[in-house]
């Protein structure tokens, strides 16, 4: 059974930082590449960062140099450190599997990130 529980969002001023966490069920975590997606109001969900089971990372151009994804395989947890936040980073953030298999149909509740100008 797929379980994804995101946390760590909040309200922050532009230029601030937040660290998101996602606890995943062990059966889906250990061998899968995982990532963080976000969905802003009125926009499609987009992938912002991914990390393979071995720790190779990639980022969307919009967050490169500001966000850092990491994972703790022993804790079945993936993190997203977000620095130099901008108002356009405001969105609900979700974690899920990434390529090559793509996301599971199941999505957690997400965590709201709001960046004020």
């Amino acid at each position: 059974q797929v379980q994804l529980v995101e946390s760590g969002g909040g309200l922050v001023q532009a230029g601030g930082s937040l660290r998101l966490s996602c606890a995943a069920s062990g059966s889906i975590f250990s061998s899968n590449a995982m990532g963080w997606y976000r969905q802003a109001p009125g926009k499609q969900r987009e992938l912002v960062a991914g990390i393979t089971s071995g720790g190779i990372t990639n980022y969307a151009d919009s967050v490169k140099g500001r966000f850092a994804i990491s994972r703790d395989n022993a804790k079945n947890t993936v993190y997203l450190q977000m620095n130099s936040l901008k108002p356009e980073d405001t969105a609900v953030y979700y974690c899920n599997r990434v390529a090559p298999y793509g996301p599971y149909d199941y999505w957690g509740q997400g965590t709201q990130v709001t960046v004020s100008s």
Side-chain angles (χ1 to χ4, degrees):
Q1 183 177 358
V2 176
Q3 290 185 336
L4 298 163
V5 181
E6 300 93 348
S7 62
L11 173 63
V12 63
Q13 289 188 330
S17 298
L18 285 173
R19 188 190 193 210
L20 308 184
S21 299
C22 171
S25 51
S27 61
I28 70 167
F29 186 87
S30 60
S31 60
N32 282 306
M34 299 293 293
W36 285 94
Y37 300 76
R38 69 184 180 187
Q39 187 167 22
K43 295 188 177 181
Q44 288 190 331
R45 189 173 291 162
E46 62 172 344
L47 177 65
V48 297
I51 185 167
T52 68
S53 57
I56 297 173
T57 60
N58 60 80
Y59 300 93
D61 288 343
S62 58
V63 306
K64 202 170 293 184
R66 300 188 298 120
F67 290 11
I69 188 171
S70 61
R71 64 191 291 162
D72 185 333
N73 290 335
K75 296 182 178 180
N76 296 335
T77 301
V78 61
Y79 304 97
L80 187 68
Q81 177 67 43
M82 306 187 296
N83 300 324
S84 302
L85 283 161
K86 304 176 180 180
E88 50 264 43
D89 295 318
T90 295
V92 180
Y93 285 72
Y94 304 87
C95 70
N96 210 317
R97 190 176 59 178
V98 298
Y101 302 110
Y104 291 100
D105 291 339
Y106 169 83
W107 293 84
Q109 84 287 350
T111 187
Q112 175 71 49
V113 172
T114 303
V115 185
S116 63
S117 57

